[in-house]
Amino acid sequence: MGQSILDYETFYTEMRARFRFLLPAKILAYKPEYKVRSNRMQVYLDQITGSHYEICLRQNYHEIALHFESTPGPSLARRQAFDPILNDLSEALGKNVKAGKHENRGWMRVWIENPVTPLTERLLAEYTELFAHFIEATFPTLE
């Protein structure tokens, strides 16, 4: 029997609720603020400016990312701090972690791409765990 397909709101509401149990206390102490906009959920951490975490369910691929949203110079510098650890992050997360430009805004990002897959309970569990581990693995360099 197949799994039912979740809508974006249900998917992100449940992911946010599960983060309380998956994110370490050190990260939860930064009081995550969640913003949901149609096909994406952004996670802002108190006192960490110019960056946010994001899961975006795009038409061509699904993205779990850390976006650097400041002017080009600082955005590039933040992204470059991750260059020496990309292989370690990829190994730790079991996914290819990339770093580079984010669209045409001059922003930079560190991200994982996943193929487009229906939004099922199974995918919710997989992405929630992957996103929480991505946040935990990248946080020390961001902090």
Side-chain angles (χ1 to χ4, degrees):
M1 186 172 178
Q3 293 191 35
S4 62
I5 303 300
L6 305 174
D7 59 44
Y8 291 134
E9 182 179 351
T10 302
F11 193 85
Y12 291 133
T13 299
E14 184 61 30
M15 180 178 283
R16 188 172 54 233
R18 293 177 186 197
F19 272 179
R20 289 183 305 199
F21 304 103
L22 288 175
L23 290 175
K26 180 177 183 173
I27 295 172
L28 291 173
Y30 281 81
K31 301 175 187 157
E33 179 184 344
Y34 303 95
K35 294 184 180 179
V36 175
R37 295 184 181 125
S38 65
N39 67 334
R40 71 189 67 222
M41 181 176 74
Q42 298 168 324
V43 181
Y44 291 85
L45 300 176
D46 187 39
Q47 301 175 10
I48 305 282
T49 59
S51 307
H52 68 269
Y53 288 97
E54 181 171 303
I55 180 168
C56 184
L57 305 171
R58 300 174 180 275
Q59 288 182 337
N60 298 327
Y61 64 93
H62 293 166
E63 173 188 311
I64 292 174
L66 171 57
H67 291 171
F68 307 109
E69 57 187 21
S70 55
T71 57
S75 188
L76 177 62
R78 284 183 171 171
R79 198 271 304 155
Q80 287 175 329
F82 286 87
D83 289 348
I85 64 167
L86 288 176
N87 288 337
D88 294 338
L89 288 171
S90 296
E91 191 173 306
L93 296 168
K95 299 278 186 177
N96 184 30
V97 179
K98 303 175 184 184
K101 284 189 164 190
H102 175 61
E103 298 174 349
N104 295 322
R105 301 177 185 170
W107 291 3
M108 293 286 163
R109 65 182 170 162
V110 175
W111 82 100
I112 298 169
E113 286 183 19
N114 289 302
V116 173
T117 308
L119 303 182
T120 62
E121 282 287 337
R122 182 176 305 147
L123 187 71
L124 171 63
E126 177 187 327
Y127 278 9
T128 302
E129 187 170 318
L130 178 60
F131 194 17
H133 286 141
F134 179 83
I135 293 169
E136 186 175 3
T138 57
F139 184 76
T141 304
L142 176 63
E143 190 181 33

